[in-house]
Amino acid sequence: IEFFTRYAKTVFTAYADRVSYWMTFNEINHCKPESDLGMWLAGAIKIDENEDEQRRKQRCAQAVHNMLVASASSVIEARKIRKTFKIGCMIGYIPYYSDSCNPQDVFATLKREEEDIYFADVMVFGMYPNYRKQYFKANAIELADSERDYEMLKNGTVDYIGFSYYMSSVYSNDDTKMSTSTGGIVKSAPNKYLAVSDWGWIIDPLGLRISLNKLYDRYRLPLMVVENGFGAYDVKNSDHTIDDDYRIEYLREHILAIRDAVSIDGVNCIGYTPWSAIDIISASTGEMEKRYGFIYVDLDNHGNGTLERYPKKSFHWYKTVIDSNGTQM
């Protein structure tokens, strides 16, 4: 906690005259004991495959607690450096739809949502929600904490909610209906109403509007969509152009969903940044060929290529969107 706070203070000070909006931890709610990736993100590296489940949950809960306190501590220090700083949290947000109107499915969906949202609850409200305290009790989790930790959580709450949005999911109480998405991110039951990407991610622009409404209603804080994009196989033509109309369609529909959330629903959304400007290795699958960027990078999954960069059709489209402040899409 002390190391992170010192790091944050160093960066806050160095960029105090240039940066106004900050976020402490990226997609902090992906730190879960159920996945090796989550444990790695939480800094609670898995020891061995035979580790006791309770110990695994204990270590992850402690690591997450330390991150939450470190975030709050950094917020407190940031305001000493510049009172006008705006400090936000950042969560990976996936709206969950119940697979049916069966109350068992509805309740299972509610409990699944709690697994993701409690991180923001702590960072906004400055305390653990009761449902999370019950989780600790049911799993015999005892945090190594202090009164000072909770004082910092109370005083170091965030100013806005940053979140990533790529897809929605369908949740069922019947685990046999759930299948892991190809990208290995979430389990979902099929959604017959929506298409999916090449990696099995549900494409749901209205889900972004739903997410904005749910988050704004819950927290009443400004929202910023800081990741939104479409992973796809892109083909470079002989003249080095890339016709990624599918990416343009995806982004256009999601931006329009934000517009409707703001203009019709009254949501306070203060910013939008797509993922990503340039092709990079996908964090979820470790592939270069799962491309998100507006700029094509000549590199394959095995590291072969020239690393030359070429603007895609979406690059020129999004430039027009920016130049016209969204009036030309």
Side-chain angles (χ1 to χ4, degrees):
I1 295 171
E2 289 76 17
F3 286 161
F4 185 86
T5 304
R6 186 166 72 235
Y7 160 74
K9 287 173 61 178
T10 302
V11 180
F12 289 146
T13 302
Y15 294 94
D17 61 339
R18 282 172 282 179
V19 178
S20 298
Y21 287 83
W22 302 82
M23 290 177 287
T24 51
F25 287 94
N26 181 64
E27 291 189 336
I28 188 172
N29 62 317
H30 286 341
C31 302
K32 298 186 182 72
E34 291 79 12
S35 69
D36 290 338
L37 175 62
M39 290 292 281
W40 174 73
L41 287 170
I45 306 300
K46 183 177 178 181
I47 295 176
D48 61 65
E49 294 181 357
N50 299 317
E51 181 180 21
D52 177 76
E53 183 180 2
Q54 192 281 329
R55 171 171 161 72
R56 185 178 174 90
K57 290 181 177 180
Q58 169 73 44
R59 290 194 300 115
C60 193
Q62 185 64 60
V64 169
H65 176 77
N66 292 346
M67 294 168 74
L68 292 168
V69 175
S71 173
S73 174
S74 301
V75 171
I76 293 169
E77 294 300 323
R79 289 170 181 154
K80 295 178 183 176
I81 296 169
R82 182 175 151 192
K83 292 182 179 180
T84 56
F85 274 159
K86 298 296 182 184
I87 316 295
C89 65
M90 199 298 210
I91 59 173
Y93 193 73
I94 299 173
Y96 290 92
Y97 307 145
S98 175
D99 186 48
S100 75
C101 55
N102 183 332
Q104 294 292 335
D105 282 340
V106 174
F107 187 73
T109 303
L110 170 66
K111 303 311 287 185
R112 178 62 186 86
E113 288 177 332
E114 288 178 352
E115 294 177 20
D116 279 338
I117 206 65
Y118 94 85
F119 297 80
D121 281 355
V122 176
M123 299 173 87
V124 173
F125 301 126
M127 65 182 73
Y128 281 97
N130 286 332
Y131 64 81
R132 199 60 187 178
K133 293 178 182 177
Q134 286 298 112
Y135 169 84
F136 292 156
K137 183 178 179 180
N139 289 277
I141 292 172
E142 296 183 6
L143 297 175
D145 52 15
S146 66
E147 291 184 9
R148 184 170 178 270
D149 288 355
Y150 296 102
E151 191 66 24
M152 282 194 286
L153 290 177
K154 179 181 178 181
N155 294 324
T157 55
V158 295
D159 300 306
Y160 68 95
I161 307 292
F163 70 101
S164 59
Y165 176 84
Y166 293 96
M167 67 188 122
S168 60
S169 181
V170 178
Y171 207 77
S172 172
N173 188 53
D174 181 358
D175 195 57
T176 63
K177 293 184 177 181
M178 305 292 289
S179 60
T180 305
S181 67
T182 308
I185 298 297
V186 296
K187 286 186 175 181
S188 178
N191 190 330
K192 65 181 180 180
Y193 300 102
L194 297 170
V196 299
S197 72
D198 293 333
W199 276 263
W201 290 19
I202 296 173
I203 300 172
D204 184 8
L206 184 57
L208 177 53
R209 183 177 175 183
I210 292 170
S211 300
L212 287 161
N213 274 269
K214 292 179 71 172
L215 289 170
Y216 191 59
D217 184 62
R218 188 181 189 98
Y219 298 117
R220 295 293 167 175
L221 287 177
L223 303 175
M224 188 182 295
V225 183
V226 295
E227 286 185 34
N228 173 239
F230 184 74
Y233 292 109
D234 290 334
V235 177
K236 180 165 63 70
N237 300 319
S238 58
D239 60 354
H240 302 309
T241 60
I242 298 92
D243 298 318
D244 58 338
D245 295 276
Y246 40 84
R247 181 170 291 106
I248 293 173
E249 179 183 2
Y250 176 98
L251 293 169
R252 178 191 292 116
E253 293 304 310
H254 283 76
I255 294 171
L256 290 174
I258 298 173
R259 182 199 65 183
D260 290 344
V262 173
S263 61
I264 299 174
D265 307 328
V267 171
N268 183 13
C269 182
I270 59 175
Y272 170 83
T273 54
W275 185 269
S276 65
I278 191 168
D279 289 342
I280 62 172
I281 295 172
S282 169
S284 61
T285 64
E287 296 174 275
M288 190 69 192
E289 290 179 358
K290 185 182 182 184
R291 299 178 182 274
Y292 284 90
F294 295 121
I295 299 171
Y296 184 94
V297 178
D298 185 20
L299 196 70
D300 66 17
N301 286 346
H302 305 287
N304 302 313
T306 66
L307 288 175
E308 290 293 323
R309 305 175 180 186
Y310 305 98
K312 304 175 188 179
K313 186 175 181 179
S314 60
F315 175 96
H316 304 288
W317 172 82
Y318 194 60
K319 183 179 184 299
T320 300
V321 174
I322 294 172
D323 289 342
S324 68
N325 196 29
T327 60
Q328 297 181 39
M329 286 193 286

